[in-house]
Amino acid sequence: MTTLGRLSRLTGNWIPAALARPFGAPTAVFFHGVEQQISDPALQVNQHRLDAFEDVARLLKRDFDVLPLSAMADVLSRPAKHARALFLMSDDGYANTLTTAAPVLKAYDLPWALFVSTHHIDTGEFTPPTLTRIFFLEAPRGAHDLPHFDTPVFLGARTQREAEAVEAWKHLKNMPAPHAIRVLEFMKTVLAKTGAGIKAKYESENFLTWDQVRALDRAGVEIGAHADSHWAMHQDQPQDFLREQALRPKLRIEKEIGHCRFFAYPFGQRGDIGRGAWEAVRDAGYQNAFTTIAGTLNASTNPWLLPRYGLAAEESNLAAFLPVLRANNPRLRTWQSQIGT
Ligand SMILES: [Zn+2]
């Protein structure tokens, strides 16, 4: 979490919810998946524990007007009229959003949107950060000469592997996608040889099928795009890669669901989105797109670079905390102007 995030969370916890509410502004928040229990926190970084997620749902219902994304245009045009408005979203498309998250959100009658990375729904492949973590945990002990890494990676004890995985991922995420894809292919080949039953062992990271995505659509969940492959759309990516990452998931989701109006950038921080990314998303015909940069929705001057807040593993006082996100609005606007807004 950023320093601002830590500070504002601290401040937020000191403000009683009833006091903070009148100073609110419309916000968007997101989660990834929900599991009954978290058995491996180093790997299941994207999963909420079910009872903590139920607490979040209860707070959202009590303290906010949780709206469907179809209300976004009205909220952006008249934010002052929607001070309690909140949009709830889930990224990636984990299978447990259907089995574990959806029943909770239905019980509280909370509308939500799901952003899927279509390549992963098509193939069932793990996301690149998940595959990287699994490789570093499961690959045989010894040296591995990963493509586009300056030196071989040595894998030994579990704690050392976890630390190496974090460093390797930082390097990998910033590579141009054609290079990074070669690294992932190398990892997949090594893992296939271990015969370790990886899919079953890391079940929480598995994806929905298209049948399941359609079931969520029929249940009223807005299906949006989270790029095609779950890669950063940073400024060093080739332009044709960015265009494909924006356009292919839209066409794929339209074919399965009938419409796809919204986009969420993978990772979604400043370094993960260049000018070419949001222009490709705009040109593909999306109504709005979401980052993971802190801010409130009234602040944005660019409808394809909207702010969003990632829900922490446990949240006790969202009504006090979320209005504090507006402290980051000036930085959001500065960044938007830096990348061409
Ligand atoms: Zn994601």
Side-chain angles (χ1 to χ4, degrees), residues 16-260:
L19 256 181
R21 219 174 290 142
F23 306 112
T27 46
V29 302
F30 72 101
F31 64 98
H32 289 92
V34 180
E35 285 285 296
Q36 297 280 346
Q37 290 294 334
I38 303 300
S39 53
D40 185 350
L43 190 109
Q44 293 172 306
V45 290
N46 282 335
Q47 310 296 342
H48 284 254
R49 204 180 62 245
L50 177 57
D51 62 338
F53 186 73
E54 284 172 333
D55 288 345
V56 168
R58 188 174 44 77
L59 291 179
L60 293 181
K61 188 71 187 176
R62 191 190 72 186
D63 293 336
F64 297 91
D65 297 327
V66 182
L67 300 177
L69 269 180
S70 54
M72 182 59 80
D74 188 50
V75 168
L76 288 176
S77 65
R78 297 186 300 162
K81 288 230 181 320
H82 296 281
R84 282 165 50 103
L86 181 141
F87 297 92
L88 177 63
M89 307 170 187
S90 167
D91 280 6
D92 296 4
Y94 295 109
N96 61 28
T97 53
L98 174 70
T99 56
T100 314
V104 174
L105 300 176
K106 186 171 191 302
Y108 283 94
D109 195 23
L110 293 170
W112 56 293
L114 176 69
F115 292 93
V116 298
S117 299
T118 43
H119 170 80
H120 299 280
I121 306 294
D122 281 335
T123 63
E125 281 178 14
F126 293 125
T127 63
T130 303
L131 182 68
T132 302
R133 281 189 217 112
I134 293 175
F135 172 82
F136 275 81
L137 295 179
E138 298 285 346
R141 176 180 281 268
H144 296 273
D145 201 2
L146 297 172
H148 306 292
F149 276 64
D150 293 339
T151 54
V153 170
F154 290 91
L155 298 181
R158 162 98 193 201
T159 48
Q160 176 255 339
R161 286 170 178 249
E162 285 174 7
E164 291 270 2
V166 171
E167 285 310 304
W169 172 246
K170 279 186 208 157
H171 180 51
L172 194 51
K173 192 173 97 165
N174 292 319
M175 279 183 200
H179 288 193
I181 286 165
R182 254 174 253 143
V183 182
L184 288 197
E185 289 304 320
F186 179 95
M187 290 179 179
K188 278 190 261 180
T189 306
V190 172
L191 286 175
K193 286 187 205 148
T194 66
I198 301 282
K199 276 265 180 253
K201 184 169 176 182
Y202 296 99
E203 197 183 354
S204 64
E205 312 305 303
N206 286 342
F207 281 91
L208 295 156
T209 64
W210 281 114
D211 279 347
Q212 292 172 320
V213 175
R214 279 192 297 270
L216 287 168
D217 168 61
R218 283 196 300 274
V221 178
E222 176 86 36
I223 307 298
H226 193 43
D228 184 38
S229 299
H230 196 289
W231 280 115
M233 295 171 74
H234 55 67
Q235 61 181 7
D236 296 330
Q237 298 289 18
Q239 194 57 38
D240 58 347
F241 171 81
L242 295 174
R243 268 197 297 272
E244 185 179 293
Q245 286 287 89
L247 190 57
R248 184 176 185 277
K250 190 167 196 299
L251 298 175
R252 190 75 189 87
I253 292 167
E254 283 171 351
K255 188 172 163 223
E256 297 289 344
I257 306 291
H259 58 85
C260 177

